[in-house]
Amino acid sequence: MFSRKKNILKFWMSALVLCCSFNILNSQYLLLPDKIRVLAGEEISTLTNMNSFSNKYATVTWQKESTAIGEMVADFQPEEDRLQPGTYQVNYALFDTVPLKTVEVEVVTPLRVLSGGQSVGVLLQTRGVTVVGYSPVVDAQGGVYYPAKEAGLNLGDFITKINGIEVIDDYQVADLINEYGANGNAITFTVKRENGLVDITVQPGYCYDTGSYRIGLYVRDNAAGVGTMTFYEPQTGKYGALGHMIADLDGKSEQGENKGIIIESEIQGVKPGQKGVPGEKIGVFVGGGWQGTIEKNCELGVFGVIDEPLRNDIYPELLPVALPETVHEGPAEIITVLEGSEMETFSVEIEKVMLQQKPSGKGLIVKVTDPTLLEKTGGIVQGMSGSPIIQDGYLIGAVTHVFINDPTKGYGCLAQWMIEEAEIDEKIS
């Protein structure tokens, strides 16, 4: 009698263990997505080993979509070691009997682009001009004076209007000053400063050196800066760079509003970053080199077309662009320029991949691990934005922003989102 009760207890204990094991196992498969995309050429084990239970407990079978009838053909067994383009179903079953999960898999041909890493100079047209220097007005006796400086216009002032007329560029400013000066009229400049808008009135003077009326200022009508190229598509000439939006000099920026150019640049030095103080690359623009249009300035960077082919001696062949679903935590590398125009690779670690439902400039958290880069820059610095991130032979993203309190870390955006913003046809390969 006692032995019978003991056997019954063992039976129910075994059943309980089996039931719990099945529930745990099934829950693991329920966590798998219902549909995923992967790139052609990846190993089949990428799918059949999507979690630790696959080899131990689950039998994996395949179904492939029939192009003739658009339905799934059962009992398909991949003949190749690597995934081929097409639509598949991967079925997981416990001990080849109890169904656990069916995952629809779309295997797509990867888009290939040339990796960037080149240093670029960025010039964005803006409304308004910035005072960047003083220039003497020469009178009839050869004397010099500075009407604008004497009236109170300061370096760094942002001029938004001239006698109520909205300022567009430096050519317009010069024409208006000459026109009002020739008529003997004073000019009221509306200037933006940290404490708000102020009006400053200046009387133009005739400059005998230039033969025109002037007020003695140098102004700049564009936002200038140094960044990094992310990718270049040779068939179309399209590119993506920076990985983040460039704001107007007056602090305002709207998607699609600004136009400008990017040009070749060289790095003359680097100011290392430290906690609380971001570092920066110090660059100069190179005239006579390649040049590109800026047709879009948005959250994920600047995009346009370059007038001549680019090259990359580190990765001379085109690289496949990773799908967001395939990017993972772990080692990677970035390409950037620290001196002159020489591109170099540096090791980084992808610490986190954010699941995103829509494009964003903060899809990755990147940590610099390369001792050389840490010694020279302290980590991520301004001007490194756009540096391509490469993992497992794929272009996965671009560096975007540094963490102010930890310059060894920063954000990155996913390359696929940048490709979509560049409007590159997925059929190009």
Side-chain angles (χ1 to χ4, degrees):
M1 187 70 176
F2 176 77
S3 177
R4 183 182 178 186
K5 289 183 177 179
K6 185 177 181 181
N7 289 335
I8 293 174
L9 180 61
K10 284 183 178 180
F11 171 80
W12 286 112
M13 288 294 293
S14 299
L16 180 62
V17 170
L18 182 62
C19 182
C20 290
S21 298
F22 174 77
N23 287 336
I24 294 173
L25 176 60
N26 196 43
S27 67
Q28 293 293 323
Y29 283 94
L30 290 175
L31 292 176
L32 290 173
D34 295 325
K35 183 176 181 179
I36 63 172
R37 292 186 304 166
V38 295
L39 294 176
E42 290 191 14
E43 294 182 359
I44 286 179
S45 59
T46 302
L47 300 180
T48 56
N49 296 328
M50 280 194 286
N51 61 47
S52 60
F53 291 92
S54 295
N55 290 331
K56 284 186 178 182
Y57 304 107
T59 301
V60 179
T61 60
W62 288 66
Q63 292 180 320
K64 184 178 181 180
E65 182 179 291
S66 169
T67 56
I69 60 176
E71 297 179 354
M72 289 294 170
V73 179
D75 301 328
F76 169 75
Q77 181 61 41
E79 298 177 357
E80 305 289 340
D81 291 333
R82 295 185 179 275
L83 295 167
Q84 303 299 311
T87 302
Y88 305 85
Q89 283 183 352
V90 179
N91 305 305
Y92 296 90
L94 180 61
F95 306 130
D96 201 19
T97 303
V98 182
L100 293 174
K101 182 77 174 184
T102 297
V103 178
E104 183 178 331
V105 180
E106 182 184 5
V107 181
V108 298
T109 301
L111 176 71
R112 295 178 180 271
V113 295
L114 185 74
S115 171
Q118 301 88 349
S119 181
V120 300
V122 182
L123 302 172
L124 279 181
Q125 296 178 2
T126 61
R127 293 186 177 276
V129 296
T130 299
V131 178
V132 296
Y134 297 117
S135 174
V137 176
V138 182
D139 62 21
Q141 290 73 38
V144 299
Y145 64 110
Y146 301 84
K149 182 178 181 181
E150 294 165 2
L153 276 169
N154 301 325
L155 298 180
D157 281 348
F158 188 80
I159 300 172
T160 62
K161 293 181 180 180
I162 294 178
N163 283 352
I165 299 174
E166 187 175 16
V167 171
I168 298 175
D169 56 34
D170 55 349
Y171 295 104
Q172 177 205 31
V173 171
D175 289 343
L176 288 174
I177 290 173
N178 189 55
E179 178 184 342
Y180 284 118
N183 293 326
N185 297 325
I187 300 175
T188 298
F189 292 87
T190 301
V191 175
K192 182 177 181 179
R193 293 175 175 170
E194 290 184 359
N195 56 351
L197 296 175
V198 296
D199 289 334
I200 298 175
T201 301
V202 184
Q203 181 65 52
Y206 186 79
C207 179
Y208 282 80
D209 267 3
T210 62
S212 62
Y213 284 87
R214 301 177 58 213
I215 61 172
L217 284 184
Y218 287 120
V219 296
R220 185 181 68 193
D221 67 345
N222 50 54
V226 174
T228 304
M229 181 74 67
T230 304
F231 64 81
Y232 167 73
E233 202 293 300
Q235 292 188 37
T236 61
K238 293 183 178 181
Y239 76 89
L242 298 190
H244 63 74
M245 178 180 286
I246 300 177
D248 287 359
L249 290 174
D250 65 356
K252 298 178 181 178
S253 182
E254 296 182 9
Q255 180 171 332
E257 180 180 345
N258 297 325
K259 306 294 181 182
I261 63 172
I262 64 168
I263 61 177
E264 188 176 355
S265 71
E266 293 183 352
I267 301 302
Q268 292 188 323
V270 177
K271 179 182 177 183
Q274 52 186 316
K275 185 177 181 179
V277 182
E280 64 176 328
K281 292 183 181 182
I282 301 170
V284 294
F285 299 162
V286 178
W290 57 263
Q291 180 173 305
T293 62
I294 294 179
E295 300 175 4
K296 183 182 291 186
N297 172 35
C298 66
E299 181 183 5
L300 295 177
V302 294
F303 303 88
V305 178
I306 295 177
D307 62 0
E308 61 181 76
L310 294 185
R311 54 180 291 179
N312 186 323
D313 292 334
I314 297 174
Y315 286 100
E317 302 297 327
L318 304 185
L319 291 180
V321 178
L323 296 172
E325 300 96 313
T326 63
V327 180
H328 60 85
E329 297 175 1
E333 64 180 4
I334 65 172
I335 305 177
T336 200
V337 175
L338 298 185
E339 183 175 355
S341 58
E342 181 183 359
M343 293 185 289
E344 301 179 72
T345 60
F346 302 98
S347 59
V348 298
E349 186 82 8
I350 306 300
E351 289 199 333
K352 186 175 182 180
V353 181
M354 269 71 87
L355 297 176
Q356 296 179 315
Q357 300 300 319
K358 60 181 181 179
S360 166
K362 297 180 178 180
L364 305 168
I365 292 181
V366 183
K367 179 178 177 63
V368 175
T369 57
D370 195 287
T372 301
L373 187 58
L374 290 171
E375 179 182 356
K376 291 183 177 180
T377 68
I380 298 171
V381 298
Q382 295 175 4
M384 203 177 285
S385 298
S387 297
I389 307 172
I390 297 170
Q391 183 182 65
D392 302 332
Y394 291 85
L395 176 66
I396 68 168
V399 175
T400 57
H401 299 85
V402 62
F403 290 178
I404 297 299
N405 291 326
D406 184 359
T408 67
K409 294 184 180 182
Y411 285 113
C413 65
L414 293 164
Q416 179 64 28
W417 301 144
M418 293 185 69
I419 290 292
E420 292 179 6
E421 287 291 352
E423 299 179 5
I424 296 176
D425 193 336
E426 293 183 356
K427 297 179 181 179
I428 294 175
S429 60

